[in-house]
Amino acid sequence: MKYRAKGCFVEISNLHKARYGYQPKLPGIFKGSVADVLVETGGGTRAVSDHEEISALFKHSYGRAPVRFVKGRNEKTRDLLNVGVILSGGQAPGGHNVIAGLFDGLKKWNPASRLYGFLGGPSGLIKGRYVEIDADLVDRYRNTGGFDIIGSGRTKIETTGQFDASLGTAKKLQLNALVIIGGDDSNTNAALLAEYFIEKGCGVQVIGCPKTIDGDLKHKYIEASFGFDTAVKTYSEIIGNIARDANSAKKYWHFIKLMGRAASHIALEAALQTRPNICFISEEIEAKGLSLSQVVDQICDAVVKRAENNENFGVILIPEGLVEFIPEVKNLISELNEIMARYKAEFEGIRSFQAHSAWLEKKLSRHSLVLFESFPEGIARQLLLDRDPHGNVQVSRIETEKLLMHLTEKKLLSMKVSGNYAGNFAAIGHFLGYEGRSAFPSNFDADYCYSLGFSAFFLIASGLTGYIASVCNLCAPAGEWLAGGIPITMLMNMEQRSGKKKPVIKKALVDLDGAPFKAFATLRDELALKTCFKYPGPVQYFGPPEICDLTTITLRLEHGGA
Ligand code: FBP
């Protein structure tokens, strides 16, 4: 089977073809006619914290109530709707199904409704670059991974010019609503745009959808961000394979860095799935105030003890955000962020790494300078790479696994010299990130995303703005899922970004009192010494539900399951 894309024919695989035939499962409320869905409203809401600052910044959209869809006759005339959609930030499996759900909902409402996809993320809206998404286009992307239907991007909408240009595009296309599919930063964009459009009285509604493989856009009403399920299962398959290889050859320690810019949800879930010897949880490192050398000590301890049993191999999972949670490195990074934002032009004018280092001597605090100079040059260079448009350091580009390999090797060498270690240490580094972000969505993500697309449509049809789609009760069969939406401001607090205090969605980090972390904590002493690897195998798309429809262990434990 072939389809035409950008002037060439693309041959598709048998699985790809088979996935077109998959019919995503929907919550019961969405199964009948679109005229049989009403919205039920709860009580007023508050921001996570900084209530006064957030309410002052979102004068028109702050404090609204959560909503839930319930059965009932909707007497509204089903006028045609023009809706725009943006895929924003990092790819996450299932994004195409959000668009498919939104498209199908819109067409069921009124077949003359139109869906426009903005190209390359929020910049497509600003620059007025779009395609109309018709049945032919959407059908080619159902149940497939990636964001290639319209592309994605990380542009932050923040200047008056960008807001005005967005409004210009919305007016030109006579949009009734805009759906932004993204993570915390992108949904912050959605809340800001919603407020701006209300202020301008243009009537364009803005709805967000919770996406991110990182799993840190989480709340009572947002039980999971989409893409986490598929991505972490994809990584777990690879980790299981590496672990089995390690247990066969018995000669390498594998240091595996896993995506997850801040929160360690991915590493924690992968640890529960595969049982490595060590898995660092950044949130715990920060809570205990562990230094870089204490982290390395933990690794050396396991290496030495396993060597005493002749097990000169193992697997270590490292969340990519770890460096930002080790107090002294966090301090260094925040000083660098501050300096790079404040002296932007000067910093960008310096051409070589050596000149940057010399320049930083006068700007960094003594402690941070000593630490910066102690890093291997490659790592120090990576710490100076561009921040993303939201002011975040790009941790996916910092080779933390190599840093830990280097420091472990150094320490073990000195232990060998002093007679405290007699094993053989050979380490191999891996980074699992992009491999999982565009995988074919698991059945869970395919169903969840399609349901989120439907919820986004019903939020629009209910006349709401500044809301994020919510689908809950996710451990039950899809027919029992509960759909609705919550105001985005309910997820917000004020944070320091690019040198300024800004309203942003608060990231949901790993809860050290939560069931998933506790489940891991009870296992880890044994895992460090013994070889207890589990091999989860690949995501299964066709077969019995207990293999194909299983949620993540994290979600099950958070819902009181085992
Ligand atoms: P989102 O928060 O936009 O979903 O992206 C998350 C993520 O996949 C992180 O895990 C990773 O650090 C980052 O994106 C990588 O960004 P980029 O794709 O720009 O390299």
Side-chain angles (χ1 to χ4, degrees):
M1 187 174 182
K2 291 176 177 184
Y3 70 80
R4 211 175 156 74
K6 288 191 189 147
C8 60
F9 282 104
V10 178
E11 187 107 31
I12 65 168
S13 69
N14 287 351
L15 179 73
H16 192 154
K17 192 162 82 182
R19 287 310 277 170
Y20 284 154
Y22 179 76
Q23 182 51 50
K25 300 183 270 305
L26 277 174
I29 185 73
F30 295 151
K31 282 185 187 156
S33 155
V34 282
D36 288 336
V37 178
L38 282 180
V39 78
E40 186 181 82
T41 308
T45 55
R46 287 166 72 91
V48 175
S49 62
D50 309 304
H51 154 77
E52 272 164 28
E53 280 156 288
I54 309 268
S55 65
L57 288 166
F58 294 89
K59 284 191 203 70
H60 308 283
S61 53
Y62 186 78
R64 295 185 175 179
V67 297
R68 218 171 100 176
F69 300 122
V70 292
K71 282 269 172 231
R73 194 73 198 156
N74 187 338
E75 302 296 350
K76 265 192 180 170
T77 50
R78 302 226 293 266
D79 296 334
L80 78 86
L81 294 168
N82 289 326
V83 175
V85 64
I86 295 174
L87 288 165
S88 182
Q91 283 67 248
H96 291 154
N97 271 27
V98 180
I99 294 180
L102 176 62
F103 178 86
D104 291 350
L106 277 169
K107 293 290 179 182
K108 270 176 114 181
W109 180 256
N110 182 329
S113 290
R114 302 181 108 166
L115 182 61
Y116 298 99
F118 291 104
L119 302 174
S123 65
L125 174 70
I126 296 167
K127 294 182 184 155
R129 295 180 59 237
Y130 63 89
V131 285
E132 181 169 351
I133 299 179
D134 58 13
D136 179 49
L137 183 60
V138 85
D139 285 351
R140 277 191 269 133
Y141 288 90
R142 287 180 193 269
N143 306 309
T144 61
F147 279 2
D148 41 328
I149 185 170
I150 48 175
S152 186
R154 290 196 185 275
T155 302
K156 180 163 174 58
I157 304 176
E158 55 185 347
T159 65
T160 313
Q162 288 171 323
F163 279 106
D164 291 346
S166 303
L167 179 60
T169 306
K171 279 186 175 162
K172 184 175 151 211
L173 290 173
Q174 299 182 339
L175 291 189
N176 299 93
L178 176 70
V179 175
I180 299 184
I181 302 169
D184 51 342
D185 289 327
S186 313
N187 277 287
T188 298
N189 264 347
L192 290 165
L193 261 183
E195 178 68 20
Y196 173 80
F197 286 160
I198 303 175
E199 177 93 42
K200 294 285 165 188
C202 64
V204 183
Q205 301 160 241
V206 185
I207 300 299
C209 271
K211 169 236 71 168
T212 177
I213 61 158
D214 294 1
D216 56 6
L217 181 46
K218 194 155 47 171
H219 180 270
K220 184 175 146 207
Y221 293 103
I222 313 278
E223 293 176 2
S225 54
F226 80 75
F228 176 72
D229 186 272
T230 314
V232 81
K233 285 174 181 165
T234 306
Y235 302 142
S236 297
E237 180 209 350
I238 301 170
I239 295 163
N241 295 348
I242 291 173
R244 200 150 206 175
D245 196 90
N247 197 18
S248 309
K250 302 194 189 295
K251 59 178 180 180
Y252 297 126
W253 274 87
H254 293 272
F255 285 58
I256 307 174
K257 184 178 83 161
L258 288 159
M259 257 193 183
R261 190 171 57 207
S264 309
H265 297 292
I266 291 180
L268 178 56
E269 171 70 19
L272 291 167
Q273 297 261 3
T274 63
R275 308 204 168 174
N277 301 98
I278 295 177
C279 172
F280 290 109
I281 302 298
S282 309
E283 292 81 345
E284 184 188 25
I285 305 278
E286 182 172 56
K288 290 187 170 164
L290 297 187
S291 64
L292 189 54
S293 74
Q294 285 172 310
V295 168
V296 173
D297 286 349
Q298 278 189 22
I299 301 175
C300 292
D301 197 43
V303 171
V304 170
K305 289 195 176 125
R306 281 175 64 78
E308 284 162 9
N309 293 333
N310 239 348
E311 306 228 287
N312 287 297
F313 66 94
V315 172
I316 301 175
L317 303 187
I318 304 153
E320 69 173 359
L322 180 75
V323 282
E324 281 203 283
F325 287 77
I326 296 173
E328 72 266 28
V329 190
K330 180 182 180 171
N331 211 24
L332 165 64
I333 291 175
S334 74
E335 280 184 34
L336 286 173
N337 288 350
E338 199 78 26
I339 293 167
M340 287 163 73
R342 187 169 337 147
Y343 305 101
K344 195 169 186 290
E346 209 180 317
F347 180 84
E348 284 171 359
I350 301 173
R351 288 283 152 245
S352 73
F353 171 71
Q354 281 66 25
H356 268 136
S357 301
W359 181 78
L360 283 169
E361 273 176 33
K362 288 171 230 120
K363 300 266 184 299
L364 285 170
S365 68
R366 203 176 59 80
H367 271 101
S368 291
L369 184 64
V370 170
L371 183 65
F372 183 74
E373 289 180 342
S374 74
F375 284 146
E377 185 179 321
I379 302 288
R381 278 177 184 273
Q382 288 158 10
L383 288 172
L384 300 185
L385 291 172
D386 293 343
R387 272 41 184 166
D388 77 7
H390 300 268
N392 304 305
V393 64
Q394 300 193 56
V395 282
S396 60
R397 298 171 70 185
I398 300 175
E399 294 173 312
T400 315
E401 74 285 14
K402 294 207 174 134
L403 175 65
L404 292 180
M405 281 159 62
H406 166 81
L407 295 173
T408 304
E409 207 155 17
K410 214 165 133 190
K411 168 128 204 233
L412 288 172
L413 208 64
S414 77
M415 289 175 79
K416 216 167 208 175
V417 171
S418 58
N420 293 320
Y421 170 60
N424 299 313
F425 178 76
I428 296 182
H430 311 260
F431 170 39
L432 301 182
Y434 300 95
E435 299 75 350
R437 295 201 315 184
S438 287
F440 280 100
S442 60
N443 288 355
F444 173 85
D445 271 328
D447 300 345
Y448 180 43
C449 290
Y450 193 62
S451 306
L452 284 170
F454 257 79
S455 294
F457 154 71
F458 277 108
L459 291 170
I460 295 167
S462 308
L464 296 161
T465 188
Y467 277 68
I468 183 167
S470 136
V471 175
C472 292
N473 201 25
L474 294 175
C475 283
E480 294 166 34
W481 289 354
L482 304 170
I486 59 168
I488 301 173
T489 52
M490 196 178 167
L491 305 171
M492 296 181 115
N493 70 167
M494 300 295 293
E495 284 176 25
Q496 196 75 7
R497 292 290 175 90
S498 308
K500 287 193 195 119
K501 240 185 149 194
K502 294 188 178 168
V504 291
I505 292 178
K506 187 174 165 63
K507 279 188 194 300
L509 301 179
V510 167
D511 176 6
L512 301 180
D513 291 320
F517 177 74
K518 283 187 173 162
F520 168 64
T522 55
L523 292 174
R524 63 180 161 183
D525 288 348
E526 194 177 3
L527 301 187
L529 303 186
K530 296 188 184 156
T531 301
C532 314
F533 305 143
K534 257 174 84 182
Y535 311 118
V539 175
Q540 299 293 313
Y541 299 95
F542 300 99
E546 66 273 18
I547 293 181
C548 298
D549 294 353
L550 215 57
T551 61
T552 57
I553 300 175
T554 302
L555 195 63
R556 272 179 275 151
L557 289 171
E558 283 171 347
H559 282 249

